[in-house]
Amino acid sequence: MSVMIRNGRIVTADENYIADIFIAQEKITAIGVGLPYQANRIVDAAGKYVIPGGVDVHTHLDMPLGNISSSDDFETGTRAAAFGGTTTIIDYATQSKGMRMRDALSVWRKKAEGKACVDYGFHMIITELPDDYLNDMDEMIDQGVTSFKLFMAYPGVLMVDDATILKAMKKAAENGGLICMHAEDGNKIEAIVKKTIAQGKTLPIYHALTRPPASEAEAVQRAIDLAKEADVPVYIVHVSSQDALQKIIEARNKKVKIFAETCPQYLFLSIDDLEKPDFEGAKYVLTPPLREKWNQDKLWGGIKNNHLQIVSTDHCPFNFHGQKDLGINDFRKIPNGGPGIENRLHLLFDGGVLKKRININQWVAIISTTPAKLFGLFPKKGTIEVDSDADLVIWDPNKTHTISSRTHHMRVDYSMYEGFKVQGFAETVLLRGEVIINRGEWSGRSGRGRFIKRNKYA
Ligand code: URP
Ligand code: ZN
Ligand code: ZN
C-alpha cells in the first residue's frame, strides 16, 4: 500500500515548506515537489499543514485506583488520541508494592495489546526499590521502557523517600534511563489536609488549597538537588505553577540538566474552576492542582523560552457520575485526574500559535518532536523525514469546532474544556501510512497500534 500526500505545507520543529510526501511500507520514502510516483491512494493537502503525528508522553489509560479504573481503556483512549492528532502515547505502568517491574510491564502490555489504535510505549512507576530490585531497571531498559517515574507525593501509596529517589537516579546515571519526577511535598500536604478536614472543609476547592504552589516548588528543588548529586538528567512532570517553574529556570541557568513538561489544563484552566457549584468543581480535581490564573502567562513564557520543553496531557479521566462523585462529602475521595488526550493539539494551536504566544515550529516541537527526542522515539517518530514512520496529520488551520463531551471521543461524561471554540483541526491522520482518521471520520483499527521499544534518552 502506497500513499501520496500532495501539496501540503510541511511543518516540522524547524522547517516550513510546500512539498509532496510519498509513503510505502509504513515509512516516508520520498519528499519533494511534484514527485513522479504512482500511489494506491492520493491525499490532497493543498492549503493544509502536514505535521508529524502528536506524541503524548503522559497518559493513564485503564489505570487502577482503589476499586475503580480511569474511564478510558487503551481502545477508547487511543482512538480519541487519534481524533486529536496524536499517533503515539507513552502511558504509565505501575510497579505496585511487592511486584517486580517485569510483571507490571506484562500487565500493562496486556491492557494495550489488541486494543491500542495508535502506537504506544510505557514508563515504569517505581513504588519501592530494594537492592535486589535494582537490576529490574536494567531489564526495563532492555525491554524498551527507558524512563521511570517516582512520586514525592501520596504518602503510603506511591510516595518514595529521598534515599529511594537517589538510588533510582544513581542507577539511571549508570544505565541511561530518564527519571521523571512527580514533584509535590507529600508530607507537608498530608499535614495541611488533616488540619483542613478537621475544620470540616470538604468541598473540591480544598483539594487545591491543601496543595499550595510552595509544596510543588520545594519538591522541584529537592528533585534538582538529588539529580545533581546523582549527576543525572531529571524530567519534572506536570509543572503547574510559576513557583515551580522558577526553580527549573534557576537550575537550567546553572546548566543543570533538567527538563520539564506542563499540560494544557495548567495553561487554560484555573483554581476558579474548582469553585463551580453543584460539586462540578470535582471535574477539575487534578494533581498538582489548578493554580491562580496569573500562572498561565508565566507557563506560556516558560514554553516560549524553552524552559518547559514538552506539553503532554496527563490524561487520567474519571466520570463525573459514578466516579468523581465518590468524593461528594470529602474531597480526598475524589479520584484525581482529568481528560484531555483528544484536545491537546487543538488547544495549543488555537491558544498558542493563533494567539501568538508561540510560533508554529514551536508548536510542533512541544507536541511531537521534543517528546519524541527526549523519550527515545526520534527520528522514527516526531519528524517528517525520509525513513521516519509515516505518522502524519493533515491539519486544517482554518476549520473551527467547539469542544464538548457531546461530540468528543473520550469515554468520559464531561469535558474540562466544554464550550471552548478552537480554530485548527486534525482533518486526516495517518499511522504508519494507514489513514486512521479520514476527513474527521474514524477509519482505523483497534489493535493496530504497536508497542514501541524506546531507545534511551538522547
Ligand atoms: O491528577 C492526576 N494528575 N492524576 C494522575 C496521576 C499523576 O500524578 O500524574
Ligand atoms: Zn504525577
Ligand atoms: Zn499523570
Side-chain angles (χ1 to χ4, degrees), residues 213-214 216 240-246 266-272 290-302 357:
E216 187 183 15
S240 69
S241 66
Q242 157 65 7
D243 291 21
L245 174 60
Q246 190 53 37
Y266 304 117
L267 297 166
F268 293 94
L269 304 172
S270 78
I271 191 167
D272 299 344
L290 299 178
R291 304 298 187 186
E292 288 176 20
K293 201 170 167 49
W294 61 267
N295 287 275
Q296 294 172 2
D297 275 348
K298 302 289 181 189
L299 295 175
W300 278 112
R357 288 166 165 138

PDB file of all heavy atoms in Angstrom, residues 213-214 216 240-246 266-272 290-302 357:
ATOM      1  N   PRO A 213       1.341  25.994  45.896  1.00  0.00           N
ATOM      2  CA  PRO A 213       2.473  26.032  44.967  1.00  0.00           C
ATOM      3  C   PRO A 213       3.818  25.857  45.674  1.00  0.00           C
ATOM      4  O   PRO A 213       4.735  25.254  45.120  1.00  0.00           O
ATOM      5  CB  PRO A 213       2.383  27.423  44.329  1.00  0.00           C
ATOM      6  CG  PRO A 213       0.969  27.854  44.515  1.00  0.00           C
ATOM      7  CD  PRO A 213       0.450  27.159  45.736  1.00  0.00           C
ATOM      8  N   ALA A 214       3.913  26.344  46.916  1.00  0.00           N
ATOM      9  CA  ALA A 214       5.190  26.212  47.637  1.00  0.00           C
ATOM     10  C   ALA A 214       5.568  24.745  47.811  1.00  0.00           C
ATOM     11  O   ALA A 214       6.751  24.390  47.792  1.00  0.00           O
ATOM     12  CB  ALA A 214       5.087  26.901  48.998  1.00  0.00           C
ATOM     13  N   GLU A 216       4.939  22.401  45.738  1.00  0.00           N
ATOM     14  CA  GLU A 216       5.457  21.942  44.441  1.00  0.00           C
ATOM     15  C   GLU A 216       6.890  22.452  44.238  1.00  0.00           C
ATOM     16  O   GLU A 216       7.789  21.689  43.871  1.00  0.00           O
ATOM     17  CB  GLU A 216       4.540  22.439  43.302  1.00  0.00           C
ATOM     18  CG  GLU A 216       4.905  21.871  41.933  1.00  0.00           C
ATOM     19  CD  GLU A 216       4.044  22.428  40.787  1.00  0.00           C
ATOM     20  OE1 GLU A 216       3.347  23.450  40.979  1.00  0.00           O
ATOM     21  OE2 GLU A 216       4.101  21.839  39.691  1.00  0.00           O
ATOM     22  N   SER A 240       2.904  23.005  37.257  1.00  0.00           N
ATOM     23  CA  SER A 240       1.625  23.723  37.276  1.00  0.00           C
ATOM     24  C   SER A 240       1.738  25.183  37.691  1.00  0.00           C
ATOM     25  O   SER A 240       0.777  25.933  37.525  1.00  0.00           O
ATOM     26  CB  SER A 240       0.666  23.016  38.237  1.00  0.00           C
ATOM     27  OG  SER A 240       1.103  23.176  39.570  1.00  0.00           O
ATOM     28  N   SER A 241       2.876  25.577  38.252  1.00  0.00           N
ATOM     29  CA  SER A 241       2.919  26.917  38.874  1.00  0.00           C
ATOM     30  C   SER A 241       4.207  27.666  38.541  1.00  0.00           C
ATOM     31  O   SER A 241       5.250  27.064  38.244  1.00  0.00           O
ATOM     32  CB  SER A 241       2.828  26.762  40.395  1.00  0.00           C
ATOM     33  OG  SER A 241       3.987  26.110  40.880  1.00  0.00           O
ATOM     34  N   GLN A 242       4.105  28.995  38.672  1.00  0.00           N
ATOM     35  CA  GLN A 242       5.278  29.841  38.482  1.00  0.00           C
ATOM     36  C   GLN A 242       6.353  29.518  39.522  1.00  0.00           C
ATOM     37  O   GLN A 242       7.542  29.523  39.215  1.00  0.00           O
ATOM     38  CB  GLN A 242       4.845  31.317  38.554  1.00  0.00           C
ATOM     39  CG  GLN A 242       5.927  32.315  38.911  1.00  0.00           C
ATOM     40  CD  GLN A 242       7.021  32.405  37.845  1.00  0.00           C
ATOM     41  OE1 GLN A 242       6.910  31.811  36.774  1.00  0.00           O
ATOM     42  NE2 GLN A 242       8.081  33.129  38.159  1.00  0.00           N
ATOM     43  N   ASP A 243       5.948  29.226  40.764  1.00  0.00           N
ATOM     44  CA  ASP A 243       6.941  28.931  41.816  1.00  0.00           C
ATOM     45  C   ASP A 243       7.813  27.742  41.404  1.00  0.00           C
ATOM     46  O   ASP A 243       9.039  27.767  41.579  1.00  0.00           O
ATOM     47  CB  ASP A 243       6.244  28.581  43.147  1.00  0.00           C
ATOM     48  CG  ASP A 243       5.550  29.776  43.759  1.00  0.00           C
ATOM     49  OD1 ASP A 243       5.252  30.729  43.019  1.00  0.00           O
ATOM     50  OD2 ASP A 243       5.286  29.754  44.970  1.00  0.00           O
ATOM     51  N   ALA A 244       7.177  26.706  40.872  1.00  0.00           N
ATOM     52  CA  ALA A 244       7.935  25.525  40.447  1.00  0.00           C
ATOM     53  C   ALA A 244       8.781  25.852  39.222  1.00  0.00           C
ATOM     54  O   ALA A 244       9.961  25.467  39.130  1.00  0.00           O
ATOM     55  CB  ALA A 244       6.976  24.377  40.142  1.00  0.00           C
ATOM     56  N   LEU A 245       8.177  26.577  38.280  1.00  0.00           N
ATOM     57  CA  LEU A 245       8.905  26.941  37.055  1.00  0.00           C
ATOM     58  C   LEU A 245      10.159  27.743  37.400  1.00  0.00           C
ATOM     59  O   LEU A 245      11.226  27.526  36.795  1.00  0.00           O
ATOM     60  CB  LEU A 245       7.976  27.748  36.129  1.00  0.00           C
ATOM     61  CG  LEU A 245       8.610  28.330  34.875  1.00  0.00           C
ATOM     62  CD1 LEU A 245       9.182  27.244  33.974  1.00  0.00           C
ATOM     63  CD2 LEU A 245       7.569  29.155  34.094  1.00  0.00           C
ATOM     64  N   GLN A 246      10.037  28.646  38.371  1.00  0.00           N
ATOM     65  CA  GLN A 246      11.186  29.482  38.738  1.00  0.00           C
ATOM     66  C   GLN A 246      12.374  28.625  39.190  1.00  0.00           C
ATOM     67  O   GLN A 246      13.522  28.895  38.827  1.00  0.00           O
ATOM     68  CB  GLN A 246      10.751  30.463  39.842  1.00  0.00           C
ATOM     69  CG  GLN A 246      11.764  31.546  40.145  1.00  0.00           C
ATOM     70  CD  GLN A 246      12.213  32.319  38.899  1.00  0.00           C
ATOM     71  OE1 GLN A 246      11.427  32.584  37.998  1.00  0.00           O
ATOM     72  NE2 GLN A 246      13.515  32.634  38.838  1.00  0.00           N
ATOM     73  N   TYR A 266      -3.112  23.425  32.830  1.00  0.00           N
ATOM     74  CA  TYR A 266      -2.461  24.500  33.590  1.00  0.00           C
ATOM     75  C   TYR A 266      -2.326  25.773  32.748  1.00  0.00           C
ATOM     76  O   TYR A 266      -2.041  26.836  33.288  1.00  0.00           O
ATOM     77  CB  TYR A 266      -1.096  24.038  34.101  1.00  0.00           C
ATOM     78  CG  TYR A 266      -1.201  22.783  34.937  1.00  0.00           C
ATOM     79  CD1 TYR A 266      -0.588  21.591  34.549  1.00  0.00           C
ATOM     80  CD2 TYR A 266      -1.980  22.776  36.101  1.00  0.00           C
ATOM     81  CE1 TYR A 266      -0.723  20.431  35.290  1.00  0.00           C
ATOM     82  CE2 TYR A 266      -2.128  21.615  36.857  1.00  0.00           C
ATOM     83  CZ  TYR A 266      -1.496  20.446  36.444  1.00  0.00           C
ATOM     84  OH  TYR A 266      -1.645  19.299  37.182  1.00  0.00           O
ATOM     85  N   LEU A 267      -2.519  25.633  31.439  1.00  0.00           N
ATOM     86  CA  LEU A 267      -2.408  26.794  30.537  1.00  0.00           C
ATOM     87  C   LEU A 267      -3.770  27.438  30.266  1.00  0.00           C
ATOM     88  O   LEU A 267      -3.845  28.587  29.837  1.00  0.00           O
ATOM     89  CB  LEU A 267      -1.803  26.348  29.191  1.00  0.00           C
ATOM     90  CG  LEU A 267      -0.374  25.808  29.264  1.00  0.00           C
ATOM     91  CD1 LEU A 267      -0.006  25.092  27.969  1.00  0.00           C
ATOM     92  CD2 LEU A 267       0.613  26.931  29.542  1.00  0.00           C
ATOM     93  N   PHE A 268      -4.849  26.656  30.454  1.00  0.00           N
ATOM     94  CA  PHE A 268      -6.172  27.146  30.047  1.00  0.00           C
ATOM     95  C   PHE A 268      -7.194  27.184  31.188  1.00  0.00           C
ATOM     96  O   PHE A 268      -8.257  27.764  31.039  1.00  0.00           O
ATOM     97  CB  PHE A 268      -6.734  26.273  28.918  1.00  0.00           C
ATOM     98  CG  PHE A 268      -5.955  26.394  27.636  1.00  0.00           C
ATOM     99  CD1 PHE A 268      -4.940  25.502  27.327  1.00  0.00           C
ATOM    100  CD2 PHE A 268      -6.226  27.439  26.748  1.00  0.00           C
ATOM    101  CE1 PHE A 268      -4.216  25.625  26.152  1.00  0.00           C
ATOM    102  CE2 PHE A 268      -5.509  27.563  25.568  1.00  0.00           C
ATOM    103  CZ  PHE A 268      -4.500  26.659  25.268  1.00  0.00           C
ATOM    104  N   LEU A 269      -6.921  26.496  32.289  1.00  0.00           N
ATOM    105  CA  LEU A 269      -7.895  26.417  33.388  1.00  0.00           C
ATOM    106  C   LEU A 269      -7.252  26.973  34.660  1.00  0.00           C
ATOM    107  O   LEU A 269      -6.037  27.145  34.713  1.00  0.00           O
ATOM    108  CB  LEU A 269      -8.304  24.949  33.601  1.00  0.00           C
ATOM    109  CG  LEU A 269      -8.872  24.221  32.371  1.00  0.00           C
ATOM    110  CD1 LEU A 269      -9.049  22.734  32.662  1.00  0.00           C
ATOM    111  CD2 LEU A 269     -10.198  24.840  31.920  1.00  0.00           C
ATOM    112  N   SER A 270      -8.082  27.227  35.665  1.00  0.00           N
ATOM    113  CA  SER A 270      -7.512  27.799  36.893  1.00  0.00           C
ATOM    114  C   SER A 270      -8.257  27.300  38.120  1.00  0.00           C
ATOM    115  O   SER A 270      -9.304  26.637  38.013  1.00  0.00           O
ATOM    116  CB  SER A 270      -7.571  29.327  36.843  1.00  0.00           C
ATOM    117  OG  SER A 270      -8.881  29.745  37.129  1.00  0.00           O
ATOM    118  N   ILE A 271      -7.757  27.676  39.265  1.00  0.00           N
ATOM    119  CA  ILE A 271      -8.349  27.270  40.551  1.00  0.00           C
ATOM    120  C   ILE A 271      -9.811  27.705  40.642  1.00  0.00           C
ATOM    121  O   ILE A 271     -10.621  27.065  41.308  1.00  0.00           O
ATOM    122  CB  ILE A 271      -7.502  27.822  41.724  1.00  0.00           C
ATOM    123  CG1 ILE A 271      -7.935  27.203  43.054  1.00  0.00           C
ATOM    124  CG2 ILE A 271      -7.542  29.336  41.788  1.00  0.00           C
ATOM    125  CD1 ILE A 271      -6.962  27.441  44.196  1.00  0.00           C
ATOM    126  N   ASP A 272     -10.178  28.753  39.918  1.00  0.00           N
ATOM    127  CA  ASP A 272     -11.583  29.213  39.934  1.00  0.00           C
ATOM    128  C   ASP A 272     -12.533  28.092  39.493  1.00  0.00           C
ATOM    129  O   ASP A 272     -13.680  28.028  39.927  1.00  0.00           O
ATOM    130  CB  ASP A 272     -11.784  30.416  38.998  1.00  0.00           C
ATOM    131  CG  ASP A 272     -10.930  31.603  39.418  1.00  0.00           C
ATOM    132  OD1 ASP A 272     -10.447  31.588  40.578  1.00  0.00           O
ATOM    133  OD2 ASP A 272     -10.715  32.514  38.600  1.00  0.00           O
ATOM    134  N   LEU A 290      -5.026  22.857  39.848  1.00  0.00           N
ATOM    135  CA  LEU A 290      -5.063  24.076  39.035  1.00  0.00           C
ATOM    136  C   LEU A 290      -4.713  25.258  39.935  1.00  0.00           C
ATOM    137  O   LEU A 290      -5.023  25.263  41.124  1.00  0.00           O
ATOM    138  CB  LEU A 290      -6.454  24.248  38.430  1.00  0.00           C
ATOM    139  CG  LEU A 290      -6.894  23.111  37.499  1.00  0.00           C
ATOM    140  CD1 LEU A 290      -8.321  23.349  36.993  1.00  0.00           C
ATOM    141  CD2 LEU A 290      -5.934  22.964  36.325  1.00  0.00           C
ATOM    142  N   ARG A 291      -4.037  26.215  39.349  1.00  0.00           N
ATOM    143  CA  ARG A 291      -3.485  27.346  40.121  1.00  0.00           C
ATOM    144  C   ARG A 291      -4.225  28.638  39.806  1.00  0.00           C
ATOM    145  O   ARG A 291      -5.066  28.693  38.900  1.00  0.00           O
ATOM    146  CB  ARG A 291      -2.001  27.520  39.770  1.00  0.00           C
ATOM    147  CG  ARG A 291      -1.152  26.293  39.974  1.00  0.00           C
ATOM    148  CD  ARG A 291      -1.137  25.857  41.424  1.00  0.00           C
ATOM    149  NE  ARG A 291      -0.177  24.774  41.654  1.00  0.00           N
ATOM    150  CZ  ARG A 291      -0.058  24.141  42.812  1.00  0.00           C
ATOM    151  NH1 ARG A 291      -0.835  24.439  43.837  1.00  0.00           N
ATOM    152  NH2 ARG A 291       0.827  23.163  42.960  1.00  0.00           N
ATOM    153  N   GLU A 292      -3.840  29.708  40.516  1.00  0.00           N
ATOM    154  CA  GLU A 292      -4.416  31.018  40.204  1.00  0.00           C
ATOM    155  C   GLU A 292      -4.084  31.358  38.761  1.00  0.00           C
ATOM    156  O   GLU A 292      -2.996  31.047  38.265  1.00  0.00           O
ATOM    157  CB  GLU A 292      -3.867  32.078  41.164  1.00  0.00           C
ATOM    158  CG  GLU A 292      -4.436  31.919  42.552  1.00  0.00           C
ATOM    159  CD  GLU A 292      -3.839  32.906  43.546  1.00  0.00           C
ATOM    160  OE1 GLU A 292      -3.285  33.938  43.128  1.00  0.00           O
ATOM    161  OE2 GLU A 292      -3.931  32.618  44.750  1.00  0.00           O
ATOM    162  N   LYS A 293      -5.029  32.079  38.127  1.00  0.00           N
ATOM    163  CA  LYS A 293      -4.968  32.299  36.674  1.00  0.00           C
ATOM    164  C   LYS A 293      -3.659  32.955  36.199  1.00  0.00           C
ATOM    165  O   LYS A 293      -3.172  32.658  35.109  1.00  0.00           O
ATOM    166  CB  LYS A 293      -6.166  33.168  36.295  1.00  0.00           C
ATOM    167  CG  LYS A 293      -6.549  33.097  34.839  1.00  0.00           C
ATOM    168  CD  LYS A 293      -7.885  33.800  34.612  1.00  0.00           C
ATOM    169  CE  LYS A 293      -8.170  34.032  33.155  1.00  0.00           C
ATOM    170  NZ  LYS A 293      -7.995  32.907  32.281  1.00  0.00           N
ATOM    171  N   TRP A 294      -3.074  33.824  37.023  1.00  0.00           N
ATOM    172  CA  TRP A 294      -1.887  34.553  36.575  1.00  0.00           C
ATOM    173  C   TRP A 294      -0.724  33.609  36.248  1.00  0.00           C
ATOM    174  O   TRP A 294       0.187  33.964  35.495  1.00  0.00           O
ATOM    175  CB  TRP A 294      -1.463  35.627  37.591  1.00  0.00           C
ATOM    176  CG  TRP A 294      -1.107  35.093  38.950  1.00  0.00           C
ATOM    177  CD1 TRP A 294      -1.926  34.972  40.025  1.00  0.00           C
ATOM    178  CD2 TRP A 294       0.172  34.583  39.370  1.00  0.00           C
ATOM    179  NE1 TRP A 294      -1.262  34.426  41.093  1.00  0.00           N
ATOM    180  CE2 TRP A 294       0.032  34.184  40.727  1.00  0.00           C
ATOM    181  CE3 TRP A 294       1.406  34.422  38.753  1.00  0.00           C
ATOM    182  CZ2 TRP A 294       1.091  33.634  41.457  1.00  0.00           C
ATOM    183  CZ3 TRP A 294       2.466  33.880  39.479  1.00  0.00           C
ATOM    184  CH2 TRP A 294       2.306  33.488  40.810  1.00  0.00           C
ATOM    185  N   ASN A 295      -0.753  32.405  36.800  1.00  0.00           N
ATOM    186  CA  ASN A 295       0.319  31.434  36.499  1.00  0.00           C
ATOM    187  C   ASN A 295       0.347  31.052  35.018  1.00  0.00           C
ATOM    188  O   ASN A 295       1.385  30.652  34.491  1.00  0.00           O
ATOM    189  CB  ASN A 295       0.133  30.164  37.323  1.00  0.00           C
ATOM    190  CG  ASN A 295       0.474  30.365  38.784  1.00  0.00           C
ATOM    191  OD1 ASN A 295       1.621  30.263  39.181  1.00  0.00           O
ATOM    192  ND2 ASN A 295      -0.537  30.678  39.582  1.00  0.00           N
ATOM    193  N   GLN A 296      -0.824  31.142  34.360  1.00  0.00           N
ATOM    194  CA  GLN A 296      -0.905  30.680  32.962  1.00  0.00           C
ATOM    195  C   GLN A 296       0.096  31.414  32.067  1.00  0.00           C
ATOM    196  O   GLN A 296       0.813  30.789  31.277  1.00  0.00           O
ATOM    197  CB  GLN A 296      -2.324  30.869  32.412  1.00  0.00           C
ATOM    198  CG  GLN A 296      -3.360  29.999  33.109  1.00  0.00           C
ATOM    199  CD  GLN A 296      -4.790  30.338  32.697  1.00  0.00           C
ATOM    200  OE1 GLN A 296      -5.029  31.200  31.862  1.00  0.00           O
ATOM    201  NE2 GLN A 296      -5.749  29.654  33.292  1.00  0.00           N
ATOM    202  N   ASP A 297       0.139  32.740  32.180  1.00  0.00           N
ATOM    203  CA  ASP A 297       1.066  33.521  31.337  1.00  0.00           C
ATOM    204  C   ASP A 297       2.512  33.144  31.611  1.00  0.00           C
ATOM    205  O   ASP A 297       3.350  33.129  30.715  1.00  0.00           O
ATOM    206  CB  ASP A 297       0.895  35.024  31.615  1.00  0.00           C
ATOM    207  CG  ASP A 297      -0.232  35.599  30.781  1.00  0.00           C
ATOM    208  OD1 ASP A 297      -0.689  34.898  29.860  1.00  0.00           O
ATOM    209  OD2 ASP A 297      -0.651  36.740  31.081  1.00  0.00           O
ATOM    210  N   LYS A 298       2.808  32.880  32.865  1.00  0.00           N
ATOM    211  CA  LYS A 298       4.191  32.510  33.241  1.00  0.00           C
ATOM    212  C   LYS A 298       4.555  31.174  32.577  1.00  0.00           C
ATOM    213  O   LYS A 298       5.664  31.001  32.080  1.00  0.00           O
ATOM    214  CB  LYS A 298       4.327  32.389  34.752  1.00  0.00           C
ATOM    215  CG  LYS A 298       3.962  33.631  35.499  1.00  0.00           C
ATOM    216  CD  LYS A 298       4.990  34.716  35.295  1.00  0.00           C
ATOM    217  CE  LYS A 298       4.642  35.974  36.065  1.00  0.00           C
ATOM    218  NZ  LYS A 298       5.507  37.096  35.718  1.00  0.00           N
ATOM    219  N   LEU A 299       3.604  30.225  32.571  1.00  0.00           N
ATOM    220  CA  LEU A 299       3.883  28.919  31.955  1.00  0.00           C
ATOM    221  C   LEU A 299       4.042  29.072  30.440  1.00  0.00           C
ATOM    222  O   LEU A 299       4.926  28.456  29.832  1.00  0.00           O
ATOM    223  CB  LEU A 299       2.780  27.919  32.289  1.00  0.00           C
ATOM    224  CG  LEU A 299       2.646  27.540  33.781  1.00  0.00           C
ATOM    225  CD1 LEU A 299       1.437  26.644  33.996  1.00  0.00           C
ATOM    226  CD2 LEU A 299       3.905  26.845  34.303  1.00  0.00           C
ATOM    227  N   TRP A 300       3.188  29.907  29.829  1.00  0.00           N
ATOM    228  CA  TRP A 300       3.353  30.160  28.388  1.00  0.00           C
ATOM    229  C   TRP A 300       4.746  30.749  28.128  1.00  0.00           C
ATOM    230  O   TRP A 300       5.425  30.370  27.153  1.00  0.00           O
ATOM    231  CB  TRP A 300       2.275  31.125  27.874  1.00  0.00           C
ATOM    232  CG  TRP A 300       0.962  30.464  27.557  1.00  0.00           C
ATOM    233  CD1 TRP A 300      -0.216  30.619  28.222  1.00  0.00           C
ATOM    234  CD2 TRP A 300       0.682  29.547  26.475  1.00  0.00           C
ATOM    235  NE1 TRP A 300      -1.210  29.859  27.635  1.00  0.00           N
ATOM    236  CE2 TRP A 300      -0.687  29.193  26.565  1.00  0.00           C
ATOM    237  CE3 TRP A 300       1.459  28.988  25.451  1.00  0.00           C
ATOM    238  CZ2 TRP A 300      -1.293  28.314  25.665  1.00  0.00           C
ATOM    239  CZ3 TRP A 300       0.855  28.103  24.559  1.00  0.00           C
ATOM    240  CH2 TRP A 300      -0.498  27.781  24.673  1.00  0.00           C
ATOM    241  N   GLY A 301       5.166  31.663  29.005  1.00  0.00           N
ATOM    242  CA  GLY A 301       6.514  32.251  28.868  1.00  0.00           C
ATOM    243  C   GLY A 301       7.577  31.160  28.982  1.00  0.00           C
ATOM    244  O   GLY A 301       8.572  31.161  28.252  1.00  0.00           O
ATOM    245  N   GLY A 302       7.346  30.216  29.888  1.00  0.00           N
ATOM    246  CA  GLY A 302       8.287  29.107  30.062  1.00  0.00           C
ATOM    247  C   GLY A 302       8.400  28.265  28.801  1.00  0.00           C
ATOM    248  O   GLY A 302       9.492  27.813  28.427  1.00  0.00           O
ATOM    249  N   ARG A 357       1.422  33.248  21.083  1.00  0.00           N
ATOM    250  CA  ARG A 357       2.269  33.012  22.257  1.00  0.00           C
ATOM    251  C   ARG A 357       3.494  32.178  21.885  1.00  0.00           C
ATOM    252  O   ARG A 357       4.533  32.258  22.528  1.00  0.00           O
ATOM    253  CB  ARG A 357       1.474  32.266  23.323  1.00  0.00           C
ATOM    254  CG  ARG A 357       0.427  33.155  24.002  1.00  0.00           C
ATOM    255  CD  ARG A 357      -0.517  32.278  24.763  1.00  0.00           C
ATOM    256  NE  ARG A 357      -1.325  32.979  25.705  1.00  0.00           N
ATOM    257  CZ  ARG A 357      -2.628  32.731  25.873  1.00  0.00           C
ATOM    258  NH1 ARG A 357      -3.229  31.809  25.137  1.00  0.00           N
ATOM    259  NH2 ARG A 357      -3.312  33.390  26.769  1.00  0.00           N
TER     260      ARG A 357
END
